[in-house]
Amino acid sequence: MKMNLSPSSVSIGSPEYPPRLRILPDAPEELHYLGTLPEDCPTVAIVGARMCSSYGHSQAYAFGRELAAKGVQIVSGMAMGIDGYALEGALDAGGRAFAVLGSGADVCYPRSNRSIYQRLREHGGILSELPDGDGPLPWHFPMRNRIISALADIVLVVEAKEKSGSLITVDFALEQGKTVFAVPGRIGDLLSDGCNRLIAQGAGIACSPESLLAELPSFSAQKSPEEAEHSASPGISPEASSVLSCFETEQQLGYDDLISASSLAPPQLSLALMELILGGRIRESSGGTYVRTDRRI
């Protein structure tokens, strides 16, 4: 596909116009862009808090990098925090990444993401429905979120407060019939409230990139025998399934017991435990051990 390093535009009637946007009732009549346009292929949008934690930073980067390395196209808003880190991860993996701006495509906002902006021009794309030169006005951002979700198969939220602007993207995604995932966070952390509430309302639990790959049609048929064995526990990640299997002969297990029995690294185990607790599969007892509350294997 032709790459434009200076601003260009494509109309809704053009064969180059992204087909996923055509179905929007308020699809942009013109789309302005730098670099290339997104392809009609497996795509994940990654959004989240601007003022994220180090945990959010690492998760956004890891999901962006690992999904892009598997050939998944990454879309985000290039905002500070989660958006930028996800795009950075995708670019570092050599994958396809796209930013949808709340300003003209020729206006880099925020300026702190100038390096990401420059890399997207050469190894992905920058999109906007706004004319060149338009600044980042507050009402532009909710409007652009419908484009982010429309371009994606899955919207992944990594850290969000209970009233985060990222949840506007989730609302658009649900209206458009898209799948929503959230990375679980520690209960009580303000930056985890939005994600944990989404999970409680039925969003998928993103404990690993594989959780999302299993929902993308072109990847779900490519499971290894080990992944197929783990998927015997429906609706949970392979890591969580591995932890559940540790309770087959024991009713109560401590954290160290689970590290040894599951062979998971501590960060993976913590995410799996959070997934199982939020899903009602296990609970943490007062003695610091974990008790299985269902008997599904």
Side-chain angles (χ1 to χ4, degrees):
M1 182 176 285
K2 181 182 177 183
M3 176 169 288
N4 295 294
L5 296 181
S6 57
S8 187
S9 61
V10 60
S11 66
I12 194 170
S14 169
E16 294 183 347
Y17 190 90
R20 297 185 182 205
L21 294 186
R22 283 199 181 97
I23 64 172
L24 288 176
D26 55 351
E29 289 295 323
E30 257 194 334
L31 198 63
H32 308 278
Y33 69 100
L34 291 165
T36 61
L37 291 167
E39 295 181 359
D40 190 14
C41 65
T43 304
V44 173
I46 303 179
V47 298
R50 286 172 169 80
M51 303 301 292
C52 65
S53 69
S54 58
Y55 167 74
H57 177 170
S58 64
Q59 292 301 317
Y61 181 87
F63 272 91
R65 183 183 178 95
E66 292 182 39
L67 289 170
K70 294 287 180 67
V72 177
Q73 193 169 244
I74 302 299
V75 178
S76 196
M78 210 184 80
M80 289 176 59
I82 297 301
D83 291 28
Y85 294 133
L87 292 171
E88 192 174 28
L91 289 166
D92 285 351
R96 292 179 59 78
F98 296 85
V100 183
L101 303 188
S103 61
D106 62 336
V107 177
C108 177
Y109 181 82
R111 292 182 181 180
S112 57
N113 279 343
R114 169 64 66 177
S115 63
I116 296 173
Y117 180 87
Q118 291 296 115
R119 293 177 71 187
L120 287 170
R121 290 180 62 187
E122 299 175 7
H123 303 288
I126 299 160
L127 317 175
S128 178
E129 66 179 320
L130 299 166
D132 293 340
D134 267 22
L137 300 175
W139 55 86
H140 290 168
F141 295 94
M143 182 172 63
R144 66 88 191 263
N145 289 352
R146 80 192 193 288
I147 297 176
I148 294 175
S149 57
L151 289 170
D153 298 291
I154 293 173
V155 171
L156 171 65
V157 184
V158 183
E159 285 198 328
K161 292 183 179 180
E162 192 166 5
K163 295 185 179 180
S164 167
S166 303
L167 302 183
I168 297 173
T169 309
V170 170
D171 290 339
F172 281 124
L174 295 174
E175 289 174 8
Q176 296 162 2
K178 305 302 176 78
T179 302
V180 175
F181 272 79
V183 173
R186 189 166 60 183
I187 295 170
D189 283 0
L190 290 178
L191 286 170
S192 299
D193 287 348
C195 288
N196 290 344
R197 182 165 63 86
L198 286 174
I199 291 169
Q201 292 173 343
I205 304 173
C207 288
S208 68
E210 286 71 27
S211 306
L212 279 67
L213 291 173
E215 293 294 319
L216 295 168
S218 58
F219 291 93
S220 58
Q222 302 177 16
K223 292 182 179 180
S224 67
E226 183 180 84
E227 289 172 327
E229 180 183 348
H230 283 157
S231 66
S233 295
I236 62 174
S237 68
E239 292 81 5
S241 183
S242 176
V243 172
L244 272 186
S245 68
C246 298
F247 288 90
E248 290 180 11
T249 58
E250 298 289 340
Q251 282 293 108
Q252 277 187 297
L253 290 169
Y255 189 87
D256 290 341
D257 299 324
L258 290 169
I259 282 283
S260 176
S262 69
S263 300
L264 295 176
Q268 292 177 305
L269 177 60
S270 296
L271 282 172
L273 289 170
M274 178 65 71
E275 176 181 353
L276 294 170
I277 290 170
L278 291 171
R281 299 288 187 93
I282 66 172
R283 62 178 174 82
E284 187 174 5
S285 71
S286 57
T289 58
Y290 296 90
V291 181
R292 183 161 181 177
T293 54
D294 74 344
R295 295 312 307 160
R296 289 179 288 175
I297 304 298

